[in-house]
Amino acid sequence: MQVTLKIFRYNPEKDSAPHYETYTLEAEPTDRVLDLLEKVKSYHDGTLAFRRSCAHGVCGSDAMRINGVNRLACKVLVKDLGTTNITIEPLLGLKVVKDLIVDMEPFFENYRKVLPYFINDEPPPPDGRERLQTPEERERFDDTTKCILCGVCTTSCPTFWADGQYFGPAAIVNAHRFIFDSRDRGAQQRLEILAQDSGVFRCRTAFSCTEACPREIQITKAIAEVKRAILTGRLD
Amino acid sequence: MTMQRHQYDVVIVGAGGAGLMAALYATKKGAKTAVLSKLYPTRSHTGAAQGGIGAALGNLEEDHPEWHTFDTVKGSDYLGDQDAIEFMCYQAPAIVYELEHMGLPFSRTPDGRIAQRPFGGHTNNRTGKPVRRACYAADRTGHMILQTLYQQSIKHNVTFFNEFQVLDLILVNGKVAGVVAIDIATGTIHVFHTKAVVFATGGWGRLWEITSNAYTLTGDGAAILFRRGLPLEDMEFYQFHPTGIYKLGILITEGVRGEGGVLINDKGERFMERYAPTVKDLASRDVVSRAIYIEIKEGRGINGQRYVYLDVRPETVNKYAAIDGRTRPDGSPYVVTAEELLQKLPDIIDFSRTYLGIDPMAEPIPVQPTAHYAMGGIPTNIKAEVLADEKGTVVPGLYAAGETACVSVHGANRLGTNSLLDIVVFGKQAGIHAAEYALGTDFEPLPKDAADFAISQLETLRNSKGSERIADIANEMKRVMMDHVGVFRTEEGLTEALNTIRELKERYKHIHLDDRGKIFNTELLSAWELGNLLDLAEVTTVSALARTESRGAHWREDYPKRDDKNWLKHTLAWKRENGEIELRYKPVVITKYPPKERVY
Ligand SMILES: Cc1cc2nc3c(=O)[nH]c(=O)nc-3n(C[C@H](O)[C@H](O)[C@H](O)COP(=O)(O)OP(=O)(O)OC[C@H]3O[C@@H](n4cnc5c(N)ncnc54)[C@H](O)[C@@H]3O)c2cc1C
Ligand code: FES
């Protein structure tokens, strides 16, 4: 089949303003959108810039807007789009560096602010073995361990677009992963950070993040749990 | 060209599991350390690892590091160095506990311990039956390892230069003096003056058409050292994983078979019974990949096509578990439900739905062998020091760890779960020893022209006046590697491959690039990476052509037997000044386990 790609292009070394280029190419219904981008780069225009690595939805490199929706280009097949006209644009809310590449640093900066690492200064068990955790305790935060930091959720959040101060859903997801880990002791510190102005209460429960997450994390639910923990002071 | 300089005690190249582990230890030891990675750390391919990390914790049944050692030696087809294997397998429990103490969210047993599952080639040495040794976090163990190590790096203030691609290594008087890198976002060249370098750049699965490896796995580190006159070890041993998604190569973890999934041919037969009567579908990867190829070749691929089925539907799992007499740890019969499988293998189910549009609980998954793992690489010892020759001479200040290194703990064939183990065990060794070395030595003076070679490489590519597209050269290379330097090899095929690769290297001199810019010139860097792949394709093929025996993943149809008399030795390959490849050999370290025939 033939598909038409309309791609957002911007090369700061040459262009004074962004524009769109259109490419028509042969595709299989089962091609990933990433395969199409590779084809354009290989045979139409080698200057096209985008990030990619794993090509199967686990590394988080190729988040972009595909027909207006934030997705991983490697996780969308042509046939799933329901059209042969495909518009590809960079994520919103982050500065475009070149073509589909945005500056992810503000995103990671927010992530680092929530103390996204295990905190527990108590000595591990004297036999040197693992800290015990029941399957139920482990299940409590399973969903939020799946995050690949692709930025799809944060850059589809209307609050994040409106206001660069908001940590955004991805940072909260990563805080949740530790707050509800029975082995962790840093919940209080993180909840204090998330209770700040830039924290969870900016979330307006628009659900855009949950709908967009390529890992199907129940983000809005996780944010609600963090909000509740702040309000009640309890972690159950 | 604009250039910037930096000075660090230790530079780590790569931020996958091996690089991050090295970085944590080097930083903790007090060495001023920088990590350079062409990808943002959490994008590294360690994150794609699914099934588990091997350690004889014995959480569900009797197990011993000694058994793990023997299984690994046997799995390596006796080419692994037994001192290194023993070291790794005895370190395994402590390092898995260390990861747990860093917060890694392993799946859990009912009594709250780290959950473990069976994996190919890991056995109870008394009964020969599969043993639960793979410690896992659902089917995203690598993701959790990568995330946990990166989280710890943030906690311990590790310094990162992200999206910096290392292009060259600077040696002065045979000692490490620095590395040259490009900042991908700006195109600026950076020279890092350093006392010690750890290469942890991962594998080169992009040499083959069907692969489980990321676009970015192009063997940069191995190729850089090779060009700098250092040898590469056992390059002919490259693992094809039996179960990649048909045509796409995306990996379906062996954990699926660990949970009871079976391979089925067009006649509906569970054919592994014929090839490995004891452990069947959980035989070593080389054995299973060859079995699939033979089934396909003899016309028993599904509908005569180049794939077989991996069937993990609960009714199939339960049928064969009953036939095998498989039991739960408490002795009750092994019976699974779709819910249990969904919980243990969520990502596999997601991949099947996304890329094949099928639900593996209702339909079998079409699979074919996929290029997966480099057993060979930069020769190192147990301290992760890089070796310059067959006598074990160390290159002062140079270290390598992870998939790019060859210790050799995997020999001719790696067992599943042993790479995640390798990267953390030897990543740690690299970090400790690089830091100790750097803190006890002075900087070598950095030559003025340190960056010249790297710059000239890039400029040659950027200004090349030909008309060849890099994609055409890459595709041709991948095809010929798949056809002739894959699961089955012959002298004729390897010779053809070698000729083609050499032609492609000529054509590579006449490429044309569209992008002459500086900012995110990913076309230029892809072209540079293709140069690395072509070098590695050549050395792989030359090493394979010379080895006239079949061992582990290197299977010669014209020499179908293992030949311990002539070939119980490691290959070392050098690129000589005139461009020729020279091969020499060094003995395998054998301590406790004299070579035996390998049956599963
Ligand atoms: C799909 C899949 C599943 C797997 N499952 C398992 C499993 O269940 N168990 C198991 O034990 N093993 C498994 N493996 C193997 C294992 O995951 C890998 O061998 C291992 O993770 C490699 O780790 P590494 O740190 O050596 O390299 P990687 O994680 O690949 O990291 C390489 C790093 O080097 C950097 N880099 C590369 N070149 C340059 C350069 N020129 N300049 C700067 N930086 C550079 C990259 O940015 C990256 O950070 C699996 C592999 C795959 C592909
Ligand atoms: S390329 Fe890794 S998520 Fe798409």
Side-chain angles (χ1 to χ4, degrees):
Chain A
M1 65 200 279
Q2 263 204 346
V3 294
T4 307
L5 298 190
K6 190 175 141 201
I7 305 180
F8 177 101
R9 301 298 308 267
Y10 173 62
N11 179 352
E13 291 175 84
K14 284 206 276 201
D15 306 332
S16 52
H19 62 283
Y20 288 83
E21 293 276 354
T22 303
Y23 308 89
T24 306
L25 46 150
E26 273 303 311
E28 297 288 328
T30 50
D31 277 344
R32 296 162 275 204
V33 171
L34 180 62
D35 298 324
L36 306 183
L37 290 173
E38 284 290 332
K39 242 184 233 178
V40 171
K41 189 172 179 68
S42 298
Y43 294 108
H44 297 255
D45 185 353
T47 66
L48 177 66
F50 50 93
R51 292 189 178 98
R52 86 298 185 246
S53 186
C54 73
H56 66 285
V58 297
C59 79
S61 295
D62 58 345
M64 53 189 77
R65 251 176 330 138
I66 299 170
N67 285 350
V69 183
N70 281 3
R71 331 235 350 209
L72 298 173
C74 66
K75 242 194 141 176
V76 196
L77 307 190
V78 172
K79 68 179 162 72
D80 299 335
L81 288 170
T83 166
T84 54
N85 293 315
I86 307 172
T87 304
I88 307 178
E89 299 160 293
L91 295 174
L92 288 176
L94 295 168
K95 191 176 144 256
V96 177
V97 185
K98 182 178 176 187
D99 297 337
L100 302 170
I101 295 180
V102 294
D103 177 12
M104 295 289 287
E105 189 43 35
F107 170 83
F108 287 120
E109 212 179 288
N110 285 328
Y111 162 74
R112 288 193 296 265
K113 280 184 194 149
V114 301
L115 316 181
Y117 42 77
F118 188 66
I119 299 176
N120 184 337
D121 296 332
E122 299 157 19
D127 61 5
R129 295 175 68 187
E130 65 270 59
R131 292 191 164 96
L132 298 180
Q133 182 169 54
T134 66
E136 295 71 36
E137 288 168 334
R138 170 65 180 75
E139 186 56 28
R140 182 69 190 79
F141 64 103
D142 185 64
D143 202 34
T144 44
T145 65
K146 295 191 295 201
C147 177
I148 54 173
L149 298 169
C150 63
V152 155
C153 60
T154 297
T155 58
S156 60
C157 170
T159 315
F160 179 78
W161 298 334
D163 168 3
Q165 298 304 308
Y166 177 42
F167 289 147
I172 304 172
V173 160
N174 282 281
H176 178 282
R177 176 254 170 272
F178 289 102
I179 292 169
F180 293 94
D181 183 338
S182 59
R183 303 165 302 165
D184 185 90
R185 298 289 175 266
Q188 218 40 54
Q189 273 168 281
R190 290 190 200 92
L191 290 174
E192 277 164 29
I193 294 170
L194 290 168
Q196 294 166 9
D197 268 1
S198 43
V200 279
F201 294 105
R202 295 232 170 167
C203 163
R204 295 281 168 262
T205 330
F207 279 99
S208 320
C209 54
T210 306
E211 278 160 24
C213 177
R215 303 285 293 156
E216 294 173 25
I217 299 171
Q218 298 298 309
I219 304 176
T220 313
K221 180 164 168 251
I223 297 177
E225 288 173 358
V226 173
K227 286 182 182 168
R228 196 166 59 229
I230 293 173
L231 294 173
T232 63
R234 298 205 336 259
L235 292 178
D236 44 15
Chain B
M1 197 172 252
T2 42
M3 205 183 318
Q4 288 185 29
R5 287 176 193 279
H6 310 262
Q7 201 176 55
Y8 286 91
D9 294 328
V10 177
V11 166
I12 290 159
V13 188
L20 291 176
M21 198 72 181
L24 280 171
Y25 270 90
T27 304
K28 273 189 213 164
K29 283 254 158 198
K32 189 181 168 207
T33 302
V35 183
L36 277 50
S37 176
K38 67 177 177 181
L39 298 172
Y40 190 81
T42 58
R43 315 283 185 230
S44 304
H45 213 54
T46 291
Q50 303 167 355
I53 173 167
L57 306 183
N59 280 352
L60 288 157
E61 58 188 307
E62 183 185 353
D63 198 6
H64 306 283
E66 196 185 340
W67 291 358
H68 190 181
T69 305
F70 173 72
D71 289 339
T72 304
V73 170
K74 178 180 169 188
S76 82
D77 220 348
Y78 294 89
L79 192 73
D81 288 326
Q82 296 183 8
D83 53 345
I85 292 174
E86 187 166 341
F87 176 79
M88 178 178 82
C89 295
Y90 278 78
Q91 291 276 317
I95 210 139
V96 167
Y97 292 136
E98 186 178 343
L99 292 172
E100 199 280 335
H101 297 159
M102 291 179 183
L104 198 142
F106 283 107
S107 296
R108 297 286 165 159
T109 65
D111 57 352
R113 297 206 171 271
I114 294 170
Q116 297 186 277
R117 59 163 58 119
F119 239 77
H122 293 277
T123 65
N124 173 315
N125 283 188
R126 225 176 293 112
T127 63
K129 296 270 189 211
V131 71
R132 279 164 278 232
R133 185 179 292 149
C135 310
Y136 64 91
D139 52 0
R140 51 176 187 281
T141 313
H143 167 75
M144 292 322 338
I145 290 179
L146 186 66
Q147 295 286 330
T148 302
L149 293 177
Y150 183 59
Q151 292 155 0
Q152 290 295 306
S153 307
I154 295 176
K155 188 173 181 177
H156 294 283
N157 285 315
V158 173
T159 304
F160 287 96
F161 290 82
N162 295 327
E163 302 194 311
F164 270 57
Q165 187 152 0
V166 170
L167 303 170
D168 199 11
L169 165 72
I170 307 302
L171 296 169
V172 172
N173 305 323
K175 289 166 84 177
V176 163
V179 294
V180 182
I182 181 169
D183 175 0
I184 304 173
T186 62
T188 312
I189 296 290
H190 291 244
V191 177
F192 289 78
H193 191 194
T194 181
K195 299 184 228 176
V197 175
V198 178
F199 275 86
T201 45
W204 41 91
R206 283 280 150 179
L207 276 181
W208 289 269
E209 189 177 334
I210 304 292
T211 180
S212 69
N213 277 204
Y215 274 109
T216 44
L217 288 173
T218 51
D220 300 358
I224 289 171
L225 267 57
F226 190 58
R227 278 195 294 268
R228 282 288 169 194
L230 292 166
L232 295 178
E233 181 172 348
D234 290 343
M235 292 296 285
E236 63 271 42
F237 296 100
Y238 196 90
Q239 178 167 80
F240 279 70
H241 191 292
T243 57
I245 292 182
Y246 179 48
K247 283 188 178 163
L248 290 171
I250 297 170
L251 195 78
I252 300 292
T253 172
E254 204 165 289
V256 169
R257 282 169 286 140
E259 300 299 343
V262 292
L263 290 161
I264 302 284
N265 66 15
D266 196 44
K267 293 188 151 159
E269 293 167 336
R270 181 200 196 182
F271 56 84
M272 281 312 298
E273 264 164 5
R274 280 189 269 118
Y275 298 89
T278 314
V279 292
K280 300 171 190 161
D281 297 87
L282 286 175
S284 232
R285 289 180 178 170
D286 55 333
V287 175
V288 183
S289 285
R290 276 196 294 278
I292 294 175
Y293 260 76
I294 293 171
E295 291 298 302
I296 290 171
K297 205 154 111 188
E298 294 181 354
R300 292 187 295 277
I302 306 299
N303 300 322
Q305 302 281 310
R306 299 184 62 78
Y307 66 93
V308 296
Y309 279 142
L310 174 59
D311 194 341
V312 67
R313 291 176 293 186
E315 61 270 27
T316 312
V317 170
N318 293 336
K319 174 177 147 192
Y320 288 104
I323 293 173
D324 293 350
R326 184 170 173 182
T327 53
R328 299 264 181 200
D330 65 2
S332 63
Y334 184 78
V335 180
V336 295
T337 59
E339 289 75 69
E340 181 184 345
L341 292 173
L342 270 166
Q343 200 194 6
K344 288 188 169 161
L345 304 165
D347 279 4
I348 296 309
I349 289 163
D350 179 28
F351 298 154
S352 307
R353 270 201 236 126
T354 305
Y355 298 108
L356 297 164
I358 67 168
D359 172 8
M361 294 301 104
E363 277 174 87
I365 311 169
V367 294
Q368 76 183 123
T370 183
H372 187 58
Y373 182 84
M375 269 79 69
I378 303 166
T380 58
N381 60 22
I382 288 176
K383 291 155 95 179
E385 294 166 324
V386 172
L387 308 176
D389 58 32
E390 66 275 32
K391 296 190 234 46
T393 310
V394 165
V395 183
L398 192 55
Y399 299 79
E403 189 169 335
T404 197
C406 178
V407 192
S408 144
V409 285
H410 310 300
N413 172 68
R414 170 174 75 88
L415 293 189
T417 79
N418 271 355
S419 172
L420 290 177
L421 179 60
D422 169 359
I423 65 178
V424 288
V425 166
F426 293 105
K428 176 172 169 178
Q429 292 302 309
I432 292 172
H433 295 294
E436 280 175 358
Y437 170 84
L439 293 173
T441 195
D442 288 328
F443 284 97
E444 284 295 314
L446 196 62
K448 282 219 159 36
D449 62 354
D452 284 9
F453 177 67
I455 292 171
S456 77
Q457 263 192 319
L458 292 188
E459 289 315 306
T460 306
L461 293 168
R462 205 195 302 263
N463 300 316
S464 174
K465 294 275 184 301
S467 59
E468 295 276 2
R469 304 285 309 181
I470 52 176
D472 288 329
I473 298 177
N475 290 341
E476 183 64 13
M477 173 193 74
K478 289 173 192 173
R479 186 195 59 75
V480 77
M481 290 299 285
M482 198 74 200
D483 286 352
H484 298 304
V485 200
V487 173
F488 285 102
R489 300 158 175 193
T490 62
E491 179 172 340
E492 200 190 346
L494 289 166
T495 309
E496 187 186 324
L498 190 57
N499 291 336
T500 308
I501 293 159
R502 289 184 172 152
E503 276 165 37
L504 292 173
K505 290 183 86 161
E506 273 310 306
R507 283 172 59 188
Y508 177 72
K509 292 178 185 156
H510 308 284
I511 57 167
H512 167 86
L513 298 184
D514 297 336
D515 198 340
R516 307 282 161 111
K518 299 227 176 291
I519 297 177
F520 273 101
N521 190 339
T522 52
E523 189 190 28
L524 175 66
L525 292 170
S526 295
W528 181 77
E529 290 171 341
L530 176 59
N532 297 337
L533 288 171
L534 286 168
D535 279 350
L536 298 183
E538 183 179 5
V539 61
T540 301
T541 309
V542 168
S543 303
L545 196 51
R547 188 175 282 269
T548 48
E549 66 154 353
S550 289
R551 182 186 299 272
H554 172 68
W555 198 270
R556 289 282 302 258
E557 282 182 286
D558 40 0
Y559 298 92
K561 285 223 157 48
R562 194 175 86 194
D563 175 2
D564 287 340
K565 201 163 136 270
N566 295 304
W567 287 106
L568 187 61
K569 56 189 180 186
H570 297 289
T571 307
L572 288 177
W574 281 263
K575 189 185 182 88
R576 292 306 180 197
E577 298 273 323
N578 59 4
E580 304 255 304
I581 292 176
E582 183 190 348
L583 300 180
R584 293 207 292 231
Y585 295 90
K586 69 173 183 182
V588 174
V589 179
I590 294 171
T591 55
K592 295 188 182 146
Y593 309 100
K596 281 197 291 197
E597 203 197 337
R598 189 160 151 260
V599 279
Y600 284 100

